[in-house]
Amino acid sequence: MDVMSGPYVIRGSVSLPEPELNWRFSRSSGPGGQHVNTSDSQVELRFDLANTEALPQVWKERALERLAGRLVDGVVTVRSSEHRSQWRNRETAAVRLAALLAEATAPPPKPRRPTRIPRGINERRLREKKQRAETKRGRTGRGWV
């Protein structure tokens, strides 16, 4: 097994745990000509999100909730087959999984506080609107005869 290019950071000091990553390789339908028929360059990376200990509990619950549609028995799967080399497809799949988990574990955005439009801005808008209407009214052909 090749050495990967380092830990794939999800966020902060949390990264994908190498022992918990499950790799599967198969024949790819992507670029490569006749080479495609003989090499297992497509990569399928599986990560058991439901049973991992690598993520903080809050993150795990958040990710399980947000990725519910993508999970099969608590396992998230990422595929990559755009490169000819299996190694590059492995890199791509791992980066994609890290990005997916980073997005899924991100804290929810702060709720928007509704604000009122300042009266001055509204008055200026109406004034400019009136002025524009006046300019256009002056363009009619009446009174040119």
Side-chain angles (χ1 to χ4, degrees):
M1 189 157 118
D2 296 353
V3 175
M4 299 299 282
S5 71
Y8 293 95
V9 177
I10 296 172
R11 196 168 56 251
S13 62
V14 180
S15 57
L16 284 176
E18 202 63 46
E20 291 186 30
L21 299 179
N22 190 345
W23 300 92
R24 264 184 49 198
F25 309 102
S26 58
R27 304 243 162 98
S28 174
S29 63
Q34 293 174 346
H35 174 72
V36 166
N37 303 329
T38 60
S39 64
D40 292 342
S41 60
Q42 177 172 298
V43 173
E44 187 179 286
L45 174 57
R46 299 165 59 94
F47 179 65
D48 192 352
L49 186 59
N51 297 321
T52 186
E53 295 297 319
L55 298 177
Q57 191 60 35
V58 179
W59 287 20
K60 194 159 94 170
E61 287 167 8
R62 210 179 283 157
L64 284 169
E65 183 182 318
R66 290 184 184 167
L67 297 175
R70 281 192 69 150
L71 298 176
V72 178
D73 298 330
V75 177
V76 66
T77 305
V78 175
R79 262 196 198 92
S80 176
S81 62
E82 56 261 15
H83 302 293
R84 284 181 63 165
S85 101
Q86 184 191 98
W87 188 81
R88 284 180 65 195
N89 280 330
R90 288 176 63 157
E91 288 283 307
T92 306
V95 167
R96 222 181 264 164
L97 179 64
L100 181 72
L101 289 174
E103 194 178 314
T105 58
K110 289 181 179 169
R112 181 187 173 277
R113 280 182 45 208
T115 56
R116 286 182 49 215
I117 298 171
R119 195 169 68 197
I121 291 176
N122 206 24
E123 286 173 357
R124 183 170 59 221
R125 181 184 63 86
L126 292 173
R127 200 169 40 248
E128 287 169 1
K129 205 170 164 180
K130 226 171 224 144
Q131 193 176 350
R132 186 85 182 128
E134 203 56 48
T135 304
K136 288 186 170 192
R137 197 177 300 121
R139 291 181 186 158
T140 59
R142 288 180 288 135
W144 277 56
V145 182

